[in-house]
Amino acid sequence: MQEILINQINQGGMADSKYEGEANSVSKIVGIDLHSEPGLLKANYKLKKDSGSTIDEFCKCIVTSSNGNVYFFSSESGKIWMKNTAGVYSLKYTTTPSTGDSAILGATEYRGELFWATSDYVFKVSVDSADWGTLKTPWEVNTSYSTNDKVYYEAKNYKCISGHTSSDWTDVKAWFYDGEFESGDEVKYWGTPYKALATHTSDEYNTPGRDAPDSWEDDKYFARDKVISHGSNHYACLFSHRSFSDSEPGTGEDWTVFWKEVDKWTDFWEEMEDNVPGEGKDWEDYWEVIDDGYAVQWKEFQTKDSNFHPMAIARNGLYVGDGDVLVQIKPPLGDDDDDDVVFTPAALEIVKEHRIKSLSAIDIQLAIGTYVDNNVNKTTIYRWDTWTYTWNMEDEIDEVGINAFIPVDNYFFVQAGNTGSIYSYDYNMLYLTKRIPGDWDGQKSSRVQPNATAFFKQRPLFGVSKEEGSIASGATPGVYSLATMNPRVYHRVLAIEHVTSTYSEDTIIGAIEVKGDQLYISWKDGAETGIDIIDYENRYEDA
C-alpha cells in the first residue's frame, strides 16, 4: 500500500470527509492549535467551566461591558447574571415584562447603556448603575403603592415617599359623550385632573376645562367642541367637520347635522391637585425623583417576534430585528451628542413572510439575515445603508435560514441552513465556500446560534452544535475556526479549536464572547448548563 505523507496540516485543515479532502488535510482536527507557529502542531488549551452552579439556565446572549463586568442573559427566563471584575458570578436582575415571554432574545451595550429584548419589549439600564432595582408598573387605576416603591414614568425614575393608591390621583373615569357622572367623580381631561361638583351627564356639554366656548371661526371642529354664535347662543358640535361645509350653527339647511344648541355654561367641575410624579401641585407629597440608574421596560416592539431579536450597531445606531421589521435606536438626526435616543419601531420593513434572525455591520452599512421556518428552504440576505426607505441589495439562497454572521477582519462569513453550509459574501451575493463535514443523513442537523461567533486572536470562531429539537447533531459539536496565520501564504482551513468542558454529541453552544485574552462560551448539555472559559494552565490531553 502506498504511503501517504501529510506534513503541512496547517495548509489542509479538516478534510471534507474521512475519505477525501484538500491536499494535506486530515479526517479530524479536534483541540489542536494549527496557527500559532506555522509548521508546529500544538495541543490547544482546554476549556473549563467557570460559572459553577450559579448559572442554571441556557444563555444565548453574552455582553462584555465597558464597566469591566460580563453579563449573561437567560434564553429560558428573564434572569441576568453578572461576573464582576473580581471574578464572582451572581444573579444581577430578573426581567419581568408586563406582557409576553420573559426569555431574553437579544442583548448588547450601546452609548453607555445595556439593552436587552424579550418578545414584547426593549429593556435598558445604565452600565454605571450599581443597583438595577425593581421598578413597578406605574399609574394603573387603583394600584396601591408602598413607601420606597419605584416606578418608571415618562423617561424618569421615581420613588414613593408615602404610601397611597393611584385612585388618589389618577383617572377614575374618563370623560366621554353621554357619560354619566356623580358628584365627586374624578377624571383627567387634556392632562389635567378634575372632580365633578354635581351629578350630570356629559351631553350637557360641561366638559372639564372647556367652560368658555370659543366664538365661531372658519376652522376645523371636532365632536364635543363648543362655540358661541348668533347672539351669544351656545352650540355643541355633534360630529367632526370643517366650518366651510355650510353648517354654521343656526344657518344653512344642514347645520343641525353637526350642531346642537345647549344651555348656557354651568360650572360642574373644579380642578384638582394631582399626585402623578411631575404633575400637579402636591405630587412631591408622594414621589421623588431618583437617580436614573434602574433597569426599565423601555419600549414596546411592533411585531413582537417570539424567537429572535438580534442586535447590531452600525452607523452610530443600534438596530434590533423584530419579525419582518427592523427597529432603529439612535440620537436625533444631527445631534450625536444627545444623551437621549429616538426609538423607531419600524425603520425598515422586509418581505412579509421572512423574519430577521441575524444582524451584522458591514463597513457603515447593515447586513440582515432572514429565516422563514424549518420547512422553507429559502432565505435572503439584505444590505441596507440605514437611512433610505428600502434595502440596497438582496440575495436569496436555498437554505433554511441565515443563522449567523462570522466576523473576520473587514468582512464576514455567513453560516446558513442546518447542514453546515458556510458562505462568503462580496457585498452583493453569497457564494458557498465550505461545508462542515458531518453525517447529514435523515433528521440530523446542526446550526450556529446567532451570537455563537467571535473574532479571537485573528481567528474567526463559531460554535457548531446540534439544532435544538433535532434528533442528533450532524457535525461534531465544538468551537470551530476557519483561520490562517498568513492569508497571503497559507490557505484558510477548518478545524475544531475547542470542545466544551462537558462535551457530548448533544451539546448546544449558545453564545461566544471575547474579553481580552479570554473567551466566554455558553453551553447546554442535556439538563446541565454553564459558561466555559479557556484554561491557560491545561491543554487537551487527547487532542
Side-chain angles (χ1 to χ4, degrees):
M1 182 176 179
Q2 184 177 1
E3 183 180 25
I4 299 175
L5 179 63
I6 300 173
N7 64 358
Q8 291 180 310
I9 297 177
N10 67 312
Q11 296 195 52
M14 187 183 297
D16 297 322
S17 76
K18 65 181 180 179
Y19 304 109
E20 191 168 7
E22 296 183 38
N24 298 302
S25 62
V26 294
S27 175
K28 275 200 174 182
I29 299 178
V30 181
I32 293 178
D33 177 4
L34 297 178
H35 306 292
S36 293
E37 294 186 50
L40 181 63
L41 300 183
K42 296 181 178 181
N44 227 331
Y45 292 110
K46 65 192 304 183
L47 298 182
K48 65 178 180 180
K49 188 176 182 181
D50 190 51
S51 55
S53 60
T54 302
I55 296 181
D56 55 3
E57 294 176 1
F58 187 32
C59 299
K60 293 184 181 179
C61 300
I62 305 174
V63 175
T64 55
S65 175
S66 59
N67 63 19
N69 300 325
V70 185
Y71 298 93
F72 307 89
F73 300 80
S74 172
S75 65
E76 302 175 12
S77 72
K79 291 181 180 179
I80 302 173
W81 294 272
M82 180 184 76
K83 181 182 180 182
N84 64 18
T85 54
V88 178
Y89 284 82
S90 63
L91 179 63
K92 179 65 177 177
Y93 186 75
T94 300
T95 309
T96 308
S98 56
T99 62
D101 192 24
S102 62
I104 298 172
L105 308 177
T108 195
E109 181 179 328
Y110 173 64
R111 295 177 66 85
E113 293 184 301
L114 286 174
F115 288 82
W116 65 97
T118 63
S119 60
D120 290 14
Y121 297 98
V122 176
F123 288 75
K124 71 183 182 78
V125 68
S126 170
V127 298
D128 296 327
S129 174
D131 179 13
W132 291 17
T134 301
L135 300 180
K136 295 191 173 183
T137 303
W139 299 287
E140 294 179 351
V141 175
N142 294 324
T143 300
S144 295
Y145 291 96
S146 301
T147 303
N148 294 324
D149 280 349
K150 306 179 188 73
V151 301
Y152 179 68
Y153 180 70
E154 293 185 349
K156 289 184 180 180
N157 295 317
Y158 294 88
K159 184 173 72 174
C160 184
I161 299 173
S162 176
H164 63 282
T165 60
S166 59
S167 60
D168 296 333
W169 40 265
T170 304
D171 313 49
V172 177
K173 291 187 177 181
W175 188 90
F176 57 93
Y177 189 62
D178 286 340
E180 294 185 359
F181 293 93
E182 300 295 333
S183 178
D185 281 347
E186 299 173 4
V187 304
K188 183 183 286 186
Y189 185 73
W190 287 10
T192 304
Y194 295 88
K195 181 172 71 176
L197 297 177
T199 300
H200 65 281
T201 59
S202 60
D203 60 2
E204 294 169 309
Y205 298 99
N206 35 60
T207 307
R210 303 298 298 275
D211 59 352
D214 297 326
S215 54
W216 177 266
E217 295 178 357
D218 291 335
D219 200 356
K220 185 175 182 179
Y221 290 91
F222 297 93
R224 301 188 294 276
D225 278 350
K226 277 76 64 179
V227 301
I228 298 174
S229 183
H230 291 89
S232 298
N233 291 329
H234 293 72
Y235 297 89
C237 183
L238 301 176
F239 302 99
S240 299
H241 72 103
R242 290 185 179 277
S243 58
F244 54 71
S245 60
D246 194 23
S247 11
E248 180 179 350
T251 64
E253 296 180 358
D254 62 349
W255 75 272
T256 55
V257 173
F258 293 106
W259 295 94
K260 172 184 177 181
E261 188 170 0
V262 295
D263 293 334
K264 191 172 182 178
W265 229 247
T266 55
D267 186 11
F268 283 111
W269 298 88
E270 70 174 358
E271 187 173 344
M272 298 170 56
E273 293 182 341
D274 193 4
N275 301 311
V276 177
E279 297 182 11
K281 296 178 181 179
D282 63 347
W283 71 271
E284 294 94 341
D285 292 344
Y286 293 109
W287 297 95
E288 69 175 356
V289 179
I290 55 178
D291 291 338
D292 190 16
Y294 291 88
V296 297
Q297 180 178 291
W298 184 53
K299 297 292 182 180
E300 187 172 9
F301 284 117
Q302 174 178 295
T303 304
K304 298 180 173 64
D305 192 286
S306 59
N307 298 109
F308 311 115
H309 284 304
M311 296 186 178
I313 297 170
R315 213 178 187 122
N316 197 33
L318 171 59
Y319 295 88
V320 187
D322 179 30
D324 62 335
V325 300
L326 190 67
V327 174
Q328 182 186 65
I329 301 169
K330 66 182 304 184
L333 187 64
D335 192 0
D336 287 348
D337 294 328
D338 197 317
D339 290 335
D340 295 324
V341 291
V342 177
F343 179 90
T344 305
L348 178 72
E349 183 173 349
I350 63 171
V351 176
K352 196 70 177 177
E353 64 269 17
H354 285 248
R355 301 159 68 190
I356 298 172
K357 183 176 183 180
S358 51
L359 293 173
S360 178
I362 179 167
D363 58 55
I364 60 172
Q365 301 187 57
L366 193 69
I368 303 166
T370 72
Y371 165 84
V372 181
D373 63 41
N374 279 351
N375 298 311
V376 178
N377 287 64
K378 293 288 184 183
T379 188
T380 301
I381 184 172
Y382 296 94
R383 178 166 57 84
W384 183 46
D385 58 19
T386 73
W387 62 272
T388 51
Y389 72 95
T390 189
W391 57 88
N392 306 99
M393 194 66 66
E394 66 176 283
D395 185 32
E396 184 180 79
I397 56 175
D398 295 326
E399 295 278 7
V400 184
I402 292 177
N403 303 313
F405 294 101
I406 304 168
V408 192
D409 187 6
N410 294 310
Y411 61 101
F412 52 65
F413 293 114
V414 172
Q415 198 285 304
N418 52 12
T419 55
S421 300
I422 298 177
Y423 289 79
S424 57
Y425 184 59
D426 68 355
Y427 282 65
N428 294 313
M429 300 181 69
L430 293 167
Y431 299 92
L432 184 62
T433 297
K434 192 76 176 176
R435 191 183 186 205
I436 299 168
D439 177 6
W440 305 110
D441 288 343
Q443 295 178 309
K444 296 178 181 178
S445 57
S446 302
R447 291 185 191 268
V448 176
Q449 296 286 340
N451 296 314
T453 65
F455 190 62
F456 182 63
K457 297 185 177 180
Q458 290 73 53
R459 302 178 195 181
L461 301 182
F462 49 99
V464 178
S465 50
K466 186 182 79 166
E467 179 183 1
E468 292 179 277
S470 66
I471 61 170
S473 181
T476 300
V479 178
Y480 286 62
S481 67
L482 189 54
T484 178
M485 176 70 172
N486 186 341
R488 294 179 298 175
V489 178
Y490 310 116
H491 297 298
R492 191 174 287 278
V493 299
L494 187 68
I496 304 177
E497 299 270 345
H498 302 280
V499 293
T500 56
S501 57
T502 61
Y503 166 82
S504 79
E505 290 294 327
D506 292 326
T507 299
I508 303 173
I509 296 173
I512 302 175
E513 186 71 8
V514 177
K515 183 185 180 184
D517 63 353
Q518 190 55 269
L519 280 179
Y520 288 89
I521 300 162
S522 65
W523 51 265
K524 180 178 182 179
D525 194 350
E528 190 174 355
T529 61
I531 307 297
D532 278 2
I533 62 171
I534 298 175
D535 182 358
Y536 281 108
E537 295 181 355
N538 295 286
R539 297 180 184 265
Y540 288 107
E541 296 177 355
D542 53 353

